[in-house]
Amino acid sequence: MKKHILVIPGDGIGAEVTVWGRKALEQIALKFDHDFSFDTAQMGHEAIENCGNPLPDETLDKAKLSDAILFGAVGHIKYDLDPSLTVRPEQGLLKIRKELGLFANLRPILVFDELLGASSLKPEILKGTDILFFRELTGDVYFGEKQLSADRNTASDLMIYHRYEIERIAVKAFEAARNRRGKVCSVDKANVLESSRLWREVIQEVALRYPDVQTQHLFIDNAAMQLIRDPKQFDVILTGNLFGDILTDEASQIAGSMGMLASASVGDKMGFFEPIHGSAHDIAGKNIANPFASVLSAALLLNIGFGLKKEADILTNTISDLLKEGYRTLDISTPETLAKNILGTSEMGELIIDKLKELFPKPYDHVT
Ligand code: IPM
Ligand code: MN
């Protein structure tokens, strides 16, 4: 298969982890005789420093010409400490999502048994959890009109949804549920918000087209509680941009660490694949970030982006094998983890690549 992949490492730990997602893709291409070409581009703080724009035109042009994008993270402490800065790294990410029409953000909560002890929640509550989030990504309060009064005493962000935006992500979520355990839980705040009442109305209409799928509606406050009370009750969770952002960070603790979760943002054409963790400046440059989320993002790129499920499974299984062998990065280590098994980002990355090389010793002897 011939494909062109754009790599956007971004800021903070983005570059440290994305290199391993890319190397994993290169190994897969070599072993399966795929013709993957790569290019790189800038976004976020790095891009602001170099050209004053968090999403340079060149990056957007390259993105539009690629078949898929592997992304790291954007953000910098400088902007977190100074809310008055008007040009901000996150604007790059929001703009590329909008420009590429990436309205559906899929965030699978994949629980590896070996990491049950790494979570702050009880293992018996977590074991067997398998949730797929559908977070709407190009609407909501993220993209509604923003205002700040001249005297800086009043500010507002408009929470807005159009029927078509709700309907198109609902269809994706219900279709996915059909191929899973047949349950969709839609999350909103319809007891308070008008936009949530429209959300609920549209979901109810779409649900009629899927009588084989069981539909449930929860308010966001209740959903946040249910998610850690009994995560196994959920199959597909469908929600808006803001609620989805918050709920998926919460859900990362079910998987043991933010460093374990990957996501796929898709629209009608190409896909954008990224860890759900951010730029994490507190640990950047220390070689302690977890590269698994980037490699799992590469797996989503192969599976969802290119329909290469077998290749994707090889990446996921490689991570599972390393966890079974006891290897951990700091974020997923427990008191039981042996010190010699706690690896830095690059050591864990090398181990992933070594494993992939070992799987098929003869470079051009591909598995069919
Ligand atoms: C995410 C991030 C982004 C978001 C930020 C960096 C704009 O938190 O992808 O979850 O809020 O969508
Ligand atoms: Mn987030």
Side-chain angles (χ1 to χ4, degrees):
M1 185 180 277
K2 189 172 160 57
K3 294 285 182 192
H4 185 62
I5 300 164
L6 180 65
V7 180
I8 308 181
D11 306 322
I13 61 168
E16 290 170 53
V17 297
T18 309
V19 62
W20 300 108
R22 174 180 173 161
K23 281 182 195 274
L25 289 172
E26 284 168 351
Q27 281 303 315
I28 290 289
L30 190 64
K31 305 308 177 188
F32 286 84
D33 218 6
H34 295 307
D35 182 1
F36 290 170
S37 55
F38 294 87
D39 197 357
T40 53
Q42 291 187 347
M43 197 161 99
H45 168 68
E46 186 197 18
I48 296 174
E49 294 289 292
N50 290 334
C51 60
N53 182 352
L55 180 65
D57 291 345
E58 191 193 344
T59 300
L60 192 56
D61 292 344
K62 284 183 177 183
K64 287 180 177 162
L65 291 173
S66 64
D67 296 306
I69 298 168
L70 182 69
F71 171 67
V74 284
H76 193 277
I77 186 80
K78 166 177 156 185
Y79 308 87
D80 300 345
L81 295 175
D82 186 356
S84 71
L85 291 172
T86 50
V87 180
R88 310 182 65 85
E90 292 80 5
Q91 291 160 349
L93 182 57
L94 299 184
K95 185 163 178 212
I96 203 167
R97 286 173 178 169
K98 194 74 168 176
E99 291 277 338
L100 300 178
L102 306 168
F103 63 83
N105 184 219
L106 281 63
R107 296 187 162 186
I109 309 300
L110 196 64
V111 177
F112 291 96
D113 281 355
E114 293 72 28
L115 295 186
L116 290 174
S119 172
S120 51
L121 301 168
K122 290 186 195 134
E124 62 270 27
I125 303 281
L126 308 174
K127 194 172 164 54
T129 299
D130 174 10
I131 303 173
L132 179 56
F133 275 90
F134 277 79
R135 167 190 175 195
E136 199 287 328
L137 205 58
T138 52
D140 203 346
V141 72
Y142 274 66
F143 291 93
E145 193 188 341
K146 295 177 185 301
Q147 284 183 338
L148 175 63
S149 64
D151 61 8
R152 300 187 75 84
N153 281 330
T154 310
S156 67
D157 300 88
L158 181 66
M159 184 176 257
I160 177 168
Y161 263 120
H162 301 285
R163 179 172 288 273
Y164 78 93
E165 293 174 313
I166 305 167
E167 187 177 353
R168 66 185 177 181
I169 186 155
V171 167
K172 284 207 185 280
F174 277 88
E175 290 289 333
R178 267 194 173 154
N179 295 315
R180 291 173 48 95
R181 302 191 304 284
K183 289 201 292 183
V184 170
C185 173
S186 169
V187 174
D188 61 35
K189 188 70 184 171
N191 51 347
V192 175
L193 303 172
E194 202 59 56
S195 55
S196 277
R197 284 191 277 274
L198 177 63
W199 177 277
R200 193 171 280 222
E201 186 180 307
V202 176
I203 302 298
Q204 283 169 343
E205 284 168 17
V206 173
L208 292 175
R209 290 185 239 155
Y210 295 85
D212 50 324
V213 175
Q214 188 191 323
T215 312
Q216 179 194 18
H217 300 270
L218 286 184
F219 296 137
I220 176 67
D221 44 355
N222 187 13
M225 183 273 286
Q226 294 290 344
L227 191 58
I228 48 171
R229 190 188 69 81
D230 176 21
K232 282 196 281 282
Q233 68 180 293
F234 296 112
D235 177 15
V236 169
I237 296 182
L238 164 61
T239 189
N241 204 346
L242 182 64
F243 298 154
D245 180 44
I246 299 167
L247 274 190
T248 52
D249 263 33
E250 184 190 354
S252 74
Q253 286 313 302
I254 296 169
S257 165
M258 291 274 282
M260 293 302 298
L261 288 199
S263 85
S265 304
V266 297
D268 294 321
K269 292 192 287 276
M270 58 135 56
F272 186 96
F273 303 87
E274 56 174 312
I276 87 155
H277 64 66
S279 50
H281 277 272
D282 49 335
I283 61 163
K286 296 185 177 165
N287 194 37
I288 56 173
N290 184 342
F292 286 156
S294 180
V295 176
L296 290 169
S297 300
L300 289 178
L301 183 153
L302 291 167
N303 189 8
I304 297 178
F306 301 162
L308 300 173
K309 181 165 186 332
K310 189 170 54 182
E311 286 87 331
D313 285 347
I314 287 178
L315 295 188
T316 311
N317 293 338
T318 300
I319 289 174
S320 171
D321 288 347
L322 286 171
L323 292 173
K324 284 197 183 88
E325 287 164 32
Y327 295 109
R328 302 283 186 273
T329 40
L330 203 55
D331 58 311
I332 48 174
S333 67
T334 57
E336 294 78 48
T337 314
L338 298 173
K340 73 172 174 49
N341 287 346
I342 301 182
L343 303 183
T345 313
S346 51
E347 289 72 27
M348 187 65 97
E350 295 291 357
L351 215 51
I352 297 168
I353 302 307
D354 287 349
K355 277 253 170 217
L356 290 172
K357 285 181 178 164
E358 267 169 37
L359 278 176
F360 320 103
K362 286 182 262 160
Y364 294 102
D365 206 9
H366 7 105
V367 177
T368 50

